[in-house]
Amino acid sequence: MEFPTHTRGRALRRAAAAVAALATVTLVASGCALTAASDDASSGSGSGGTESIAFVPKQLNNPYTDVVLGGGEKASKAIGYDYSVVGPLEASASSQVTFLNTLTQQGTNVIVIAANDPDAVGPALKEARDGGAKIVAFDSDTNPDYRDVFVSQVEAKDVALIQIRQMSEQIGGQGDIAILSATANATNQNEWIKYIQEEVDTNPDYAGITIVSTVYGDDDDAKSFQEAQGLLQANPDLKGIISPTTVGIAATARYLSTSEYKGKVALTGLGLPNEMREFVKDGTVTAFALWDPAQLGEVAAYAGQALVDGTITGAEGDTFTAGDLGERTVGADGIVIVGPPTEFDVDNIDDYDF
Ligand code: RAM
């Protein structure tokens, strides 16, 4: 189940750093949002014949997002599109709307969005589409009415199955567990949590497990750390925490690693190997999972191109080529799967660099 990314990780991070170096940073009136645009973004699009693609992640200050964008930039360059990134600093429900409105005014050809809320971005995306833009959702879906395709890392249910299985293995199938998520509105997180709960409720293998609490760290490191601490204080019998967010799992691992719970309370979920390595090696964490975030950005860009040139419309069965990653097929509900997931532990974590 491995993918050949460990040799590319460093290069992608360098690419992401280069984007950051080029970025023009403008604080907008709200004081809490940030626009980071590459040199090309300010020139707009559509006028000079070059197509433009803009990535709108859930939030900018997220190491996971940086790796995704590294892949997005690489693919955008390969297809000759003007590439830019705009987005909020925090992942609240409506924080992306003003950025979408600006992209629409600029005539951006492809908007690639990880939605902080499936519906809050709806009217702004509708306006963008009315103006001719193609909408690719990635990472966290919008309501399907508002986008052409959703590029999903892995089947949502499979993401949930890995996490509950790993947790069950780590706590011997028995005990109270909690979930530390990102924001309360995030489509991807809520989908995964729904399937984890469903497994606990219906799969006899997990009959001994109870989910006693779900808390939200908002993909903010400090808040996630505090929420982890709060979970342990409020639930003294807690056997484990599942954190299906890279920010949440890293903050929780940091908390556990210097606490009395280290090695006693299990932690699994979705993490970046580079952020989790020290906690796997010091015994705080046994195993966790993720996919290749850079490939998610790459496939999203190629999907955008395929929509613009008419290779696909988003209908089930449509196919397109995602560069070196090969052919992808649009599945039911306009979903394109990137996959596969990988599980990391002390034996393989050094093979990955992202
Ligand atoms: C966080 C974000 C993102 C999610 C990853 C696994 O960085 O919440 O949306 O896909 O974790």
Side-chain angles (χ1 to χ4, degrees), residues 243-263:
S243 188
T245 142
T246 57
V247 178
I249 195 174
T252 305
R254 204 170 74 250
Y255 170 68
L256 290 178
S257 68
T258 60
S259 78
E260 60 187 292
Y261 308 108
K262 178 182 171 185

Side-chain angles (χ1 to χ4, degrees), residues 11-24 37-39 70 73 77 83:
L12 290 179
R13 273 205 314 286
R14 268 203 301 271
V19 176
L22 277 176
T24 319
S38 76
D39 284 347
E73 185 185 21
K77 283 192 170 148
Y83 164 84

